[in-house]
Amino acid sequence: MTTQHIAVIGAGISGLSCATALQHAGYNVELFDKGRGIGGRLSTRRNDLWQCDHGAQYFTARHPEFILQTEQWIQTGVVAIWDPVLQVYQDAQWSKPQTKLHRYVGTPGMSAPARALAQDLSVQTATTIQSIAHNAEGWSLTSTEHGLLPKHYTKIVFAIPPIQVAAILGSHSEKISAVTDSIVMQPCWTVMMQFDSPISMPFDAAFINTGPLSWIARNNSKPSRKGEESWVMHATPAWSELNLECSAQDIGPRMIEEFRILGGPQPATWSAHRWRYASSDPSISIESVWDSATQIGLCGDWLNGGRVEGAWLSGKTLAQKML
Ligand SMILES: Cc1cc2nc3c(=O)[nH]c(=O)nc-3n(C[C@H](O)[C@H](O)[C@H](O)COP(=O)(O)OP(=O)(O)OC[C@H]3O[C@@H](n4cnc5c(N)ncnc54)[C@H](O)[C@@H]3O)c2cc1C
């Protein structure tokens, strides 16, 4: 059999899981990501003094295959259980959540399991795929940074949010476009706060079900975190959408004020990040899409429930369909 070359666009957890399965099956796989690092929304901001996970906060594992993968990550030290003091805030009342789940985090930061998967793969970062084209030799890709890439590929996998797929795909696959056109991604404003010393709050993490905030967490309460006390806050999709085009300078003080209303002190420093494509609305459960006519595949969290586990399974099921 001639080796088939496959391009995977997006080195988040879905693209990495798809590429891993394809490579195990003997395909020659190359991943491309526009970011400087690997892991997409599994992401940590850090400097010399502090670190803070500002995308996915933790993940859960319910599917037997993902449970197995999580156990392997724990054994190799890139994932650990996080057991925070957890609260729920609703209608001016604090309560304990009813669910007793294992919550897992990457160690020392959320992208650690993604980087572990990438170790055995060929990943080209800082490469924003702009367009694709097809000729007798196969698929070619053009990136913003490098222009036309030298190789041709027999198959292409899109492991990126739907609006970004649509921009690259053009009219190459009606089957894929029909799916990407049906989904809208929602934003999430995030604020990371640093304090000179540990602060006293009655929780390490809280689901906030009233007002602009949806989540607050003490990043240092996660295992293997280094540096000064840091906290992260996420705003709700609705509030983030309403304030999408505001500046980070405007958003920071407004979200910090919400934190102060909930009893938090003023941070020493803070920074804000806008996730334009944080979560999907609606979140569908078709796992992945393979268009055999064009040899183009689609995976990502937004096709499978919208979380880390769903993203990993989406990539894996796409590889199975392609094989
Ligand atoms: C604020 C926030 C909080 C979250 N909290 C949780 C949580 O607590 N638990 C949970 O399970 N999940 C959570 N999630 C969701 C979780 O992060 C995602 O489900 C998962 O990481 C998605 O993986 P993915 O591979 O589908 O996509 P992504 O991680 O988005 O990966 C896509 C990759 O494609 C790259 N890319 C995009 N366009 C291009 C292009 N044109 N060319 C090249 N590369 C491109 C991007 O740089 C990115 O690396 C959260 C997400 C956010 C944003």
Side-chain angles (χ1 to χ4, degrees):
M1 183 185 86
T2 328
T3 306
Q4 297 204 38
H5 292 269
I6 304 180
V8 176
I9 305 171
I13 201 76
S14 66
L16 290 164
S17 117
C18 183
T20 301
L22 291 170
Q23 189 164 288
H24 279 162
Y27 289 101
N28 192 317
V29 188
E30 281 172 60
L31 292 109
F32 301 95
D33 200 289
K34 68 177 182 174
R36 274 178 295 137
I38 284 160
R41 280 170 277 163
L42 285 171
S43 182
T44 305
R45 281 276 174 87
R46 44 168 67 83
N47 68 17
D48 292 344
L49 298 177
W50 55 268
Q51 67 173 86
C52 193
D53 300 324
H54 66 310
Q57 295 296 295
Y58 63 85
F59 61 87
T60 48
R62 294 179 173 85
H63 191 282
E65 283 186 54
F66 191 62
I67 291 174
L68 202 63
Q69 169 69 88
T70 303
E71 282 167 359
Q72 284 167 4
W73 282 332
I74 291 173
Q75 274 163 22
T76 52
V78 294
V79 162
I81 290 179
W82 178 41
D83 189 16
V85 176
L86 202 56
Q87 292 273 322
V88 179
Y89 183 75
Q90 180 144 9
D91 303 326
Q93 303 276 337
W94 291 99
S95 61
K96 286 235 165 272
Q98 296 305 312
T99 53
K100 188 78 190 123
L101 284 168
H102 275 320
R103 293 182 168 80
Y104 300 98
V105 292
T107 51
M110 281 306 287
S111 65
R115 281 190 281 111
L117 287 179
Q119 253 172 14
D120 300 325
L121 297 166
S122 158
V123 186
Q124 189 173 321
T125 52
T127 304
T128 310
I129 303 304
Q130 251 182 339
S131 62
I132 56 172
H134 195 260
N135 64 22
E137 291 177 76
W139 288 105
S140 60
L141 313 179
T142 299
S143 83
T144 316
E145 297 83 355
H146 313 289
L148 182 66
L149 302 183
K151 278 196 193 151
H152 281 88
Y153 301 90
T154 40
K155 304 174 199 295
I156 295 187
V157 168
F158 284 95
I160 60 181
I163 190 165
Q164 294 171 315
V165 177
I168 303 168
L169 182 67
S171 55
H172 284 296
S173 165
E174 277 179 28
K175 184 172 176 177
I176 303 276
S177 294
V179 182
T180 55
D181 290 352
S182 66
I183 304 295
V184 173
M185 293 296 279
Q186 299 175 313
C188 176
W189 267 112
T190 298
V191 169
M192 293 154 271
M193 302 182 287
Q194 291 75 48
F195 300 86
D196 294 333
S197 54
I199 64 168
S200 170
M201 292 291 277
F203 54 81
D204 294 320
F207 295 102
I208 311 296
N209 295 337
T210 310
L213 302 184
S214 63
W215 170 256
I216 307 177
R218 187 196 307 265
N219 201 67
N220 301 67
S221 66
K222 296 179 179 178
S224 307
R225 265 54 180 179
K226 289 201 176 108
E228 291 177 354
E229 174 99 343
S230 70
W231 285 67
V232 66
M233 294 186 284
H234 289 158
T236 63
W239 192 88
S240 301
E241 184 72 53
L242 199 64
N243 295 287
L244 187 59
E245 300 308 334
C246 292
S247 68
Q249 285 310 312
D250 177 32
I251 291 295
R254 289 165 67 194
M255 286 177 63
I256 290 168
E257 183 52 26
E258 296 298 327
F259 180 64
R260 286 169 60 78
I261 290 168
L262 296 172
Q266 182 70 24
T269 59
W270 60 268
S271 52
H273 177 82
R274 172 179 36 213
W275 291 99
R276 250 182 215 282
Y277 310 120
S279 54
S280 44
D281 179 30
S283 150
I284 48 176
S285 297
I286 57 172
E287 292 187 328
S288 55
V289 183
W290 175 237
D291 182 1
S292 57
T294 58
Q295 301 284 294
I296 297 177
L298 194 59
C299 62
D301 67 330
W302 57 279
L303 292 158
N304 198 25
R307 312 208 78 73
V308 173
E309 175 173 25
W312 185 88
L313 287 165
S314 170
K316 197 151 192 219
T317 64
L318 175 58
Q320 282 156 3
K321 288 176 191 173
M322 292 168 75
L323 298 169

